[in-house]
């Protein structure tokens, strides 16, 4: 009835406590835990296999050949799940399993909703992080025209057809939050406060978060491309006016040789603008290049609990 997708990357100290918490929380319903080992290089996989050997009725494992990223792990989990409900949860106990029961209860009672997404109340974030994240989601909704709820996390419970739809979206460069928004399903947002990570450190440092934000915008909107159109036409109009001014001035008061400063500043400014816009176009071209190769989203080295154990 319920499949729980759990992306895990170097979480050797967290998988056992998480397993305990999940199994005691879900003991009254029929469930399967699908752990995706995202190319961990610590003892995560061996700990997962130990749990699997103890509780084969409730555990499945997909082990990636290398680190493909959390979004690829979520994709793999959705592809392999067949429950009526599918939940996605982090493996560091920041997201308490008890909320899964709340989400299921809501979906049971409200047929018109297709999924429930937990929304971070942001209490644990710093002041700057709060502002940055809020602005980012507002900007995303504006440039993409899809609804990006401020603070909505990947901690969700979706109905089976939502997962099927997401699996059909085969893009390699996956921004799962955007894919959820793109589908346009009816989402209920529920507030929660994330706990502290049980062990280890977050895998998403500041640079990764910035890259994640850029990915989000470039993957779901071509509006930045319009920038060159706007900037280019504004500069052309201003240059044209300036040209007329120079011609008239020369006709009236003769040749005017000095002008090094103005030529240099216009040249430097234009050079900068052209380089930035070229870089932007390059980003899109790179994405087209990657997507046209149609490489698989992940490579699994071993599977446990599925029909065939080792690939
Ligand atoms: N994760 C993953 N692959 C990665 C990075 C992270 O599967 O390349 C998993 C990680 O093990 C955790 C979840 O994604 O279960 C969220 O990661 P993390 O807690 O580091 O992110 P944060 O909570 O800081 O956003
Ligand atoms: Mg975390």
């Amino acid at each position: 009835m319920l499949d729980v997708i759990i992306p895990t990357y170097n979480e050797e100290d967290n998988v056992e406590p998480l397993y305990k918490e999940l199994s005691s929380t879900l003991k009254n319903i029929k469930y399967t835990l699908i752990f995706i080992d995202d190319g961990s290089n610590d003892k995560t996989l061996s700990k997962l296999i130990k749990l699997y050997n103890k509780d084969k009725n409730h555990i499945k494992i997909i082990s990636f050949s290398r680190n493909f990223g959390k979004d690829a792990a979520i994709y793999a989990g959705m592809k392999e799940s067949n429950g009526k409900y599918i939940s996605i949860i982090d493996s560091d106990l920041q997201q308490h399993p008890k909320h899964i029961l709340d989400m299921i209860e809501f979906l049971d009672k409200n047929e018109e909703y297709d999924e429930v997404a937990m929304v971070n109340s942001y209490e644990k974030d710093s002041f700057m992080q709060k502002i940055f994240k809020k602005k980012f989601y507002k900007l995303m909704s504006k440039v993409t025209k899809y609804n990006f709820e401020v603070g909505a996390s990947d901690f969700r419970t979706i109905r089976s057809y939502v997962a099927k739809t997401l699996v059909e979206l085969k893009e390699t460069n996956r921004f799962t939050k955007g894919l959820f928004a793109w589908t346009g399903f009816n989402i209920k947002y529920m507030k929660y406060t994330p706990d502290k990570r049980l062990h280890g450190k977050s895998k998403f440092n500041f640079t990764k978060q910035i890259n994640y934000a850029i990915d989000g915008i470039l993957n779901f909107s071509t509006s930045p491309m319009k920038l060159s159109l706007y900037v280019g036409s504004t500069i052309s109009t201003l240059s044209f006016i300036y040209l007329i001014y120079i011609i008239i001035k020369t006709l009236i008061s003769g040749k005017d040789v000095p002008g090094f400063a103005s030529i240099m500043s216009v040249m430097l400014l234009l050079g900068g603008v052209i380089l930035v816009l070229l870089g932007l176009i390059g980003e899109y071209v790179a994405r087209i290049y990657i997507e046209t190769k149609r490489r698989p989203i992940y490579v699994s080295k071993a599977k446990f609990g599925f029909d065939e154990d080792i690939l």
Side-chain angles (χ1 to χ4, degrees):
M1 178 220 173
L2 171 73
D3 283 330
V4 186
I5 298 173
I6 312 156
T8 42
Y9 176 49
N10 292 345
E11 306 278 8
E12 57 184 4
D13 295 325
N14 291 328
V15 287
E16 275 163 11
L18 174 73
Y19 165 73
K20 277 199 190 120
E21 202 65 50
L22 275 167
S23 23
S24 69
T25 311
L26 303 175
K27 61 180 183 296
N28 293 326
I29 56 177
K30 199 167 164 283
Y31 69 92
T32 309
L33 309 178
I34 306 178
F35 284 95
I36 297 96
D37 164 45
D38 186 10
S40 302
N41 40 35
D42 62 358
K43 295 204 184 72
T44 302
L45 182 60
S46 58
K47 293 221 168 151
L48 286 176
I49 294 174
K50 227 158 110 202
L51 292 174
Y52 167 74
N53 287 327
K54 252 185 13 202
D55 189 6
K56 288 191 179 173
N57 287 335
H58 287 123
I59 295 184
K60 290 181 178 182
I61 308 168
I62 306 168
S63 176
F64 286 0
S65 58
R66 64 164 169 86
N67 180 241
F68 280 85
K70 184 182 172 187
D71 296 284
I74 293 175
Y75 171 82
M78 284 190 187
K79 206 167 149 216
E80 300 292 352
S81 54
N82 49 22
K84 179 180 172 200
Y85 296 130
I86 295 153
S87 295
I88 306 163
I89 191 169
D90 284 355
S91 50
D92 55 2
L93 280 157
Q94 281 199 283
Q95 305 168 335
H96 198 279
K98 67 182 179 206
H99 297 300
I100 294 180
L101 295 180
D102 301 337
M103 292 194 272
I104 291 180
E105 194 190 334
F106 181 88
L107 288 175
D108 271 340
K109 285 188 186 146
N110 298 277
E111 280 293 319
E112 71 277 22
Y113 282 93
D114 306 303
E115 56 180 284
V116 182
M118 301 304 291
V119 177
N120 298 339
S121 59
Y122 282 137
E123 275 159 38
K124 301 268 184 313
D125 274 348
S126 71
F127 182 68
M128 281 313 285
Q129 265 176 319
K130 265 187 221 171
I131 295 190
F132 177 75
K133 286 189 177 165
K134 210 169 177 172
K135 285 258 172 293
F136 171 67
Y137 289 116
K138 289 255 155 74
L139 178 73
M140 281 296 285
S141 301
K142 210 165 171 182
V143 295
T144 62
K145 313 267 187 307
Y146 316 128
N147 180 36
F148 283 83
E149 183 79 8
V150 175
S153 64
D154 289 333
F155 185 24
R156 292 172 189 237
T157 299
I158 61 182
R159 294 188 195 271
S160 58
Y161 53 82
V162 177
K164 282 216 175 69
T165 308
L166 285 161
V167 170
E168 273 166 28
L169 307 175
K170 302 267 186 241
E171 53 211 81
T172 318
N173 198 333
R174 296 180 84 77
F175 182 73
T176 307
K177 276 198 187 89
L179 297 176
F180 275 122
W182 179 89
T183 55
F185 284 117
N186 204 4
I187 307 175
K188 164 75 183 170
Y189 296 100
M190 266 186 201
K191 274 227 149 62
Y192 87 112
T193 307
D195 296 321
K196 264 220 157 84
R197 187 173 237 285
L198 190 66
H199 293 287
K201 269 205 222 135
S202 167
K203 274 94 200 168
F204 294 92
N205 57 24
F206 185 68
T207 339
K208 270 202 171 165
Q209 283 186 7
I210 297 279
N211 281 331
Y212 185 71
I214 294 176
D215 263 355
I217 294 176
L218 296 188
N219 284 5
F220 282 89
S221 167
T222 48
S223 304
M225 294 272 239
K226 289 197 187 115
L227 256 184
S228 59
L229 207 64
Y230 296 144
V231 176
S233 42
T234 312
I235 290 180
S236 303
T237 314
L238 292 177
S239 313
F240 187 71
I241 295 170
Y242 186 57
L243 191 80
I244 305 254
Y245 164 76
I246 293 175
I247 292 173
I248 295 175
K249 195 168 166 251
T250 316
L251 286 177
I252 295 172
S253 54
K255 273 189 201 142
D256 186 10
V257 180
F260 178 73
S262 56
I263 289 178
M264 277 309 279
S265 34
V266 169
M267 257 183 60
L268 290 175
L269 180 77
L270 267 184
V273 170
I274 291 168
L275 282 179
V276 168
L277 295 176
L278 259 182
L280 189 65
I281 293 167
E283 276 293 320
Y284 282 102
V285 175
R287 269 150 225 269
I288 297 170
Y289 175 60
I290 290 166
E291 293 297 338
T292 50
K293 292 196 226 180
R294 293 258 137 247
R295 288 195 178 149
I297 295 163
Y298 66 92
V299 176
S300 66
K301 202 165 63 178
K303 278 170 147 185
F304 300 84
F306 297 89
D307 291 342
E308 72 291 24
D309 262 8
I310 307 280
L311 282 182

